[in-house]
Amino acid sequence: ATEETLVLVKPDGVARGLTGTILARIEAKGYALVDIRLVEPDRDLLAEHYAEHEGKPFYEPLLEFMLSGPSVAIRLAGNRVIEGFRSLAGTTDPTTAAPGTIRGDFGRDWGLKVQQNLVHGSDSPESAARELGIWFD
Ligand code: CMP
């Protein structure tokens, strides 16, 4: 059945001018853009979005990174779009993400405390519903 997911082009992707390239890959795969907006999140929004990572060593650097500039939030729809987008994105660590994926082709280790990995995609239907509520409603 059709489902929805939250995709973010994170600040590194926006700053590097990769938004169009990333959107082109999503559209070429055939998923439907339901809604899209440029967001400058505040700390409260990010604390909610990243609640599960609170207390981890990369939590503060992650929030600082996500506060460093706007992200593009996308409501994306299609059959199995949650796993489909995560496959397009590649694994979390951009150094070893497979070539052909967004992270594998455009990301790398910049020697920072947080992995700047260009995109986010919800990891389950429950996360998608929660995260879409945070970024869109
Ligand atoms: P994302 O999957 O969108 O959400 C959590 C983010 O934290 C992840 O992307 C990375 O940007 C970052 N992250 C996850 N694991 C690590 C790690 N081990 N070290 C540094 N950053 C991480």
mmCIF file of all heavy atoms in Angstrom, residues 70-100:
data_model
loop_
_atom_site.group_PDB
_atom_site.id
_atom_site.type_symbol
_atom_site.label_atom_id
_atom_site.label_comp_id
_atom_site.label_asym_id
_atom_site.label_seq_id
_atom_site.Cartn_x
_atom_site.Cartn_y
_atom_site.Cartn_z
ATOM 1 N N PRO A 70 19.498 26.114 6.693
ATOM 2 C CA PRO A 70 18.202 25.512 6.392
ATOM 3 C C PRO A 70 18.320 24.088 5.852
ATOM 4 O O PRO A 70 19.329 23.710 5.265
ATOM 5 C CB PRO A 70 17.615 26.441 5.326
ATOM 6 C CG PRO A 70 18.783 27.131 4.716
ATOM 7 C CD PRO A 70 19.840 27.213 5.779
ATOM 8 N N SER A 71 17.261 23.321 6.091
ATOM 9 C CA SER A 71 17.087 22.016 5.467
ATOM 10 C C SER A 71 15.877 22.078 4.552
ATOM 11 O O SER A 71 14.993 22.918 4.727
ATOM 12 C CB SER A 71 16.824 20.937 6.534
ATOM 13 O OG SER A 71 17.984 20.661 7.283
ATOM 14 N N VAL A 72 15.832 21.199 3.580
ATOM 15 C CA VAL A 72 14.649 21.062 2.742
ATOM 16 C C VAL A 72 13.891 19.827 3.226
ATOM 17 O O VAL A 72 14.452 18.724 3.236
ATOM 18 C CB VAL A 72 15.001 20.942 1.249
ATOM 19 C CG1 VAL A 72 13.763 20.638 0.422
ATOM 20 C CG2 VAL A 72 15.652 22.233 0.752
ATOM 21 N N ALA A 73 12.649 20.047 3.675
ATOM 22 C CA ALA A 73 11.812 18.948 4.155
ATOM 23 C C ALA A 73 10.858 18.526 3.049
ATOM 24 O O ALA A 73 10.240 19.373 2.389
ATOM 25 C CB ALA A 73 11.025 19.391 5.387
ATOM 26 N N ILE A 74 10.769 17.227 2.839
ATOM 27 C CA ILE A 74 9.957 16.685 1.753
ATOM 28 C C ILE A 74 9.012 15.616 2.301
ATOM 29 O O ILE A 74 9.451 14.708 3.026
ATOM 30 C CB ILE A 74 10.864 16.041 0.673
ATOM 31 C CG1 ILE A 74 11.869 17.069 0.142
ATOM 32 C CG2 ILE A 74 10.026 15.451 -0.467
ATOM 33 C CD1 ILE A 74 13.126 16.439 -0.427
ATOM 34 N N ARG A 75 7.740 15.753 1.981
ATOM 35 C CA ARG A 75 6.765 14.695 2.241
ATOM 36 C C ARG A 75 6.698 13.867 0.959
ATOM 37 O O ARG A 75 6.261 14.367 -0.081
ATOM 38 C CB ARG A 75 5.398 15.289 2.576
ATOM 39 C CG ARG A 75 4.334 14.269 2.940
ATOM 40 C CD ARG A 75 2.946 14.888 3.103
ATOM 41 N NE ARG A 75 2.803 15.719 4.268
ATOM 42 C CZ ARG A 75 2.429 15.280 5.484
ATOM 43 N NH1 ARG A 75 2.145 14.014 5.677
ATOM 44 N NH2 ARG A 75 2.335 16.117 6.488
ATOM 45 N N LEU A 76 7.172 12.626 1.067
ATOM 46 C CA LEU A 76 7.331 11.783 -0.120
ATOM 47 C C LEU A 76 6.401 10.582 -0.026
ATOM 48 O O LEU A 76 6.276 9.987 1.044
ATOM 49 C CB LEU A 76 8.794 11.324 -0.193
ATOM 50 C CG LEU A 76 9.305 10.785 -1.517
ATOM 51 C CD1 LEU A 76 9.298 11.882 -2.580
ATOM 52 C CD2 LEU A 76 10.720 10.241 -1.340
ATOM 53 N N ALA A 77 5.769 10.235 -1.137
ATOM 54 C CA ALA A 77 4.797 9.139 -1.110
ATOM 55 C C ALA A 77 5.070 8.097 -2.194
ATOM 56 O O ALA A 77 5.610 8.403 -3.261
ATOM 57 C CB ALA A 77 3.374 9.694 -1.290
ATOM 58 N N GLY A 78 4.654 6.854 -1.891
ATOM 59 C CA GLY A 78 4.749 5.756 -2.859
ATOM 60 C C GLY A 78 4.689 4.423 -2.150
ATOM 61 O O GLY A 78 4.830 4.362 -0.926
ATOM 62 N N ASN A 79 4.519 3.370 -2.902
ATOM 63 C CA ASN A 79 4.554 2.042 -2.305
ATOM 64 C C ASN A 79 5.962 1.758 -1.787
ATOM 65 O O ASN A 79 6.940 1.926 -2.519
ATOM 66 C CB ASN A 79 4.176 0.972 -3.330
ATOM 67 C CG ASN A 79 2.729 1.068 -3.761
ATOM 68 O OD1 ASN A 79 1.862 1.459 -2.977
ATOM 69 N ND2 ASN A 79 2.458 0.757 -5.013
ATOM 70 N N ARG A 80 6.059 1.378 -0.515
ATOM 71 C CA ARG A 80 7.335 1.024 0.121
ATOM 72 C C ARG A 80 8.371 2.148 0.042
ATOM 73 O O ARG A 80 9.579 1.897 -0.064
ATOM 74 C CB ARG A 80 7.890 -0.267 -0.492
ATOM 75 C CG ARG A 80 6.943 -1.461 -0.300
ATOM 76 C CD ARG A 80 7.407 -2.694 -1.053
ATOM 77 N NE ARG A 80 8.672 -3.219 -0.543
ATOM 78 C CZ ARG A 80 9.439 -4.085 -1.209
ATOM 79 N NH1 ARG A 80 9.070 -4.532 -2.393
ATOM 80 N NH2 ARG A 80 10.567 -4.505 -0.679
ATOM 81 N N VAL A 81 7.872 3.404 0.093
ATOM 82 C CA VAL A 81 8.795 4.547 -0.065
ATOM 83 C C VAL A 81 9.779 4.645 1.098
ATOM 84 O O VAL A 81 10.893 5.153 0.919
ATOM 85 C CB VAL A 81 8.006 5.862 -0.246
ATOM 86 C CG1 VAL A 81 7.245 6.249 1.032
ATOM 87 C CG2 VAL A 81 8.922 6.989 -0.688
ATOM 88 N N ILE A 82 9.415 4.155 2.290
ATOM 89 C CA ILE A 82 10.332 4.262 3.432
ATOM 90 C C ILE A 82 11.610 3.467 3.157
ATOM 91 O O ILE A 82 12.718 4.006 3.207
ATOM 92 C CB ILE A 82 9.645 3.794 4.735
ATOM 93 C CG1 ILE A 82 8.500 4.759 5.082
ATOM 94 C CG2 ILE A 82 10.651 3.676 5.879
ATOM 95 C CD1 ILE A 82 7.630 4.313 6.246
ATOM 96 N N GLU A 83 11.460 2.185 2.799
ATOM 97 C CA GLU A 83 12.663 1.408 2.517
ATOM 98 C C GLU A 83 13.276 1.822 1.184
ATOM 99 O O GLU A 83 14.498 1.779 1.005
ATOM 100 C CB GLU A 83 12.397 -0.103 2.570
ATOM 101 C CG GLU A 83 11.392 -0.616 1.584
ATOM 102 C CD GLU A 83 11.176 -2.150 1.699
ATOM 103 O OE1 GLU A 83 12.150 -2.903 1.906
ATOM 104 O OE2 GLU A 83 10.010 -2.549 1.580
ATOM 105 N N GLY A 84 12.449 2.256 0.250
ATOM 106 C CA GLY A 84 12.960 2.685 -1.056
ATOM 107 C C GLY A 84 13.857 3.904 -0.943
ATOM 108 O O GLY A 84 14.944 3.958 -1.539
ATOM 109 N N PHE A 85 13.435 4.886 -0.145
ATOM 110 C CA PHE A 85 14.298 6.067 -0.026
ATOM 111 C C PHE A 85 15.569 5.731 0.738
ATOM 112 O O PHE A 85 16.657 6.212 0.409
ATOM 113 C CB PHE A 85 13.597 7.268 0.622
ATOM 114 C CG PHE A 85 14.577 8.392 0.772
ATOM 115 C CD1 PHE A 85 14.967 9.138 -0.336
ATOM 116 C CD2 PHE A 85 15.205 8.633 1.985
ATOM 117 C CE1 PHE A 85 15.953 10.119 -0.236
ATOM 118 C CE2 PHE A 85 16.198 9.615 2.092
ATOM 119 C CZ PHE A 85 16.557 10.364 0.987
ATOM 120 N N ARG A 86 15.465 4.892 1.771
ATOM 121 C CA ARG A 86 16.674 4.546 2.530
ATOM 122 C C ARG A 86 17.682 3.805 1.660
ATOM 123 O O ARG A 86 18.894 3.949 1.836
ATOM 124 C CB ARG A 86 16.305 3.763 3.783
ATOM 125 C CG ARG A 86 15.641 4.687 4.831
ATOM 126 C CD ARG A 86 15.148 3.954 6.047
ATOM 127 N NE ARG A 86 16.231 3.457 6.885
ATOM 128 C CZ ARG A 86 16.875 4.195 7.779
ATOM 129 N NH1 ARG A 86 16.582 5.464 7.935
ATOM 130 N NH2 ARG A 86 17.825 3.662 8.527
ATOM 131 N N SER A 87 17.172 3.062 0.711
ATOM 132 C CA SER A 87 18.053 2.401 -0.251
ATOM 133 C C SER A 87 18.724 3.429 -1.171
ATOM 134 O O SER A 87 19.934 3.341 -1.450
ATOM 135 C CB SER A 87 17.232 1.384 -1.041
ATOM 136 O OG SER A 87 18.000 0.820 -2.056
ATOM 137 N N LEU A 88 17.970 4.420 -1.624
ATOM 138 C CA LEU A 88 18.554 5.498 -2.447
ATOM 139 C C LEU A 88 19.606 6.279 -1.658
ATOM 140 O O LEU A 88 20.617 6.710 -2.224
ATOM 141 C CB LEU A 88 17.477 6.513 -2.856
ATOM 142 C CG LEU A 88 16.518 6.245 -4.008
ATOM 143 C CD1 LEU A 88 15.671 7.495 -4.240
ATOM 144 C CD2 LEU A 88 17.273 5.873 -5.268
ATOM 145 N N ALA A 89 19.348 6.474 -0.349
ATOM 146 C CA ALA A 89 20.231 7.305 0.480
ATOM 147 C C ALA A 89 21.550 6.606 0.764
ATOM 148 O O ALA A 89 22.601 7.243 0.816
ATOM 149 C CB ALA A 89 19.545 7.660 1.793
ATOM 150 N N GLY A 90 21.514 5.284 0.952
ATOM 151 C CA GLY A 90 22.718 4.558 1.366
ATOM 152 C C GLY A 90 22.852 4.536 2.874
ATOM 153 O O GLY A 90 22.082 5.178 3.595
ATOM 154 N N THR A 91 23.843 3.819 3.361
ATOM 155 C CA THR A 91 24.019 3.644 4.801
ATOM 156 C C THR A 91 24.478 4.954 5.468
ATOM 157 O O THR A 91 24.957 5.868 4.794
ATOM 158 C CB THR A 91 25.034 2.529 5.072
ATOM 159 O OG1 THR A 91 26.190 2.774 4.277
ATOM 160 C CG2 THR A 91 24.470 1.175 4.682
ATOM 161 N N THR A 92 24.336 5.004 6.810
ATOM 162 C CA THR A 92 24.555 6.258 7.550
ATOM 163 C C THR A 92 25.939 6.857 7.340
ATOM 164 O O THR A 92 26.077 8.063 7.164
ATOM 165 C CB THR A 92 24.353 6.002 9.066
ATOM 166 O OG1 THR A 92 23.033 5.483 9.257
ATOM 167 C CG2 THR A 92 24.509 7.280 9.864
ATOM 168 N N ASP A 93 26.972 6.019 7.370
ATOM 169 C CA ASP A 93 28.351 6.508 7.250
ATOM 170 C C ASP A 93 28.675 6.757 5.771
ATOM 171 O O ASP A 93 28.793 5.807 4.986
ATOM 172 C CB ASP A 93 29.296 5.462 7.847
ATOM 173 C CG ASP A 93 30.748 5.882 7.787
ATOM 174 O OD1 ASP A 93 31.061 6.914 7.151
ATOM 175 O OD2 ASP A 93 31.583 5.165 8.378
ATOM 176 N N PRO A 94 28.860 8.010 5.386
ATOM 177 C CA PRO A 94 29.036 8.308 3.961
ATOM 178 C C PRO A 94 30.344 7.777 3.383
ATOM 179 O O PRO A 94 30.449 7.554 2.169
ATOM 180 C CB PRO A 94 28.985 9.844 3.896
ATOM 181 C CG PRO A 94 29.327 10.312 5.264
ATOM 182 C CD PRO A 94 28.858 9.236 6.213
ATOM 183 N N THR A 95 31.329 7.545 4.247
ATOM 184 C CA THR A 95 32.612 7.035 3.745
ATOM 185 C C THR A 95 32.444 5.673 3.080
ATOM 186 O O THR A 95 33.055 5.394 2.048
ATOM 187 C CB THR A 95 33.633 6.914 4.894
ATOM 188 O OG1 THR A 95 33.932 8.232 5.368
ATOM 189 C CG2 THR A 95 34.922 6.243 4.439
ATOM 190 N N THR A 96 31.583 4.841 3.699
ATOM 191 C CA THR A 96 31.442 3.475 3.200
ATOM 192 C C THR A 96 30.097 3.209 2.532
ATOM 193 O O THR A 96 29.856 2.084 2.086
ATOM 194 C CB THR A 96 31.635 2.483 4.364
ATOM 195 O OG1 THR A 96 30.768 2.867 5.433
ATOM 196 C CG2 THR A 96 33.080 2.480 4.838
ATOM 197 N N ALA A 97 29.238 4.219 2.444
ATOM 198 C CA ALA A 97 27.963 4.034 1.741
ATOM 199 C C ALA A 97 28.264 3.639 0.292
ATOM 200 O O ALA A 97 29.247 4.098 -0.306
ATOM 201 C CB ALA A 97 27.146 5.323 1.805
ATOM 202 N N ALA A 98 27.450 2.772 -0.254
ATOM 203 C CA ALA A 98 27.725 2.227 -1.587
ATOM 204 C C ALA A 98 27.704 3.319 -2.657
ATOM 205 O O ALA A 98 26.825 4.186 -2.653
ATOM 206 C CB ALA A 98 26.698 1.158 -1.930
ATOM 207 N N PRO A 99 28.670 3.284 -3.565
ATOM 208 C CA PRO A 99 28.592 4.155 -4.739
ATOM 209 C C PRO A 99 27.265 3.902 -5.458
ATOM 210 O O PRO A 99 26.788 2.771 -5.495
ATOM 211 C CB PRO A 99 29.786 3.716 -5.584
ATOM 212 C CG PRO A 99 30.764 3.134 -4.624
ATOM 213 C CD PRO A 99 29.905 2.472 -3.558
ATOM 214 N N GLY A 100 26.700 4.949 -5.999
ATOM 215 C CA GLY A 100 25.373 4.834 -6.604
ATOM 216 C C GLY A 100 24.291 5.343 -5.682
ATOM 217 O O GLY A 100 23.183 5.648 -6.115
#
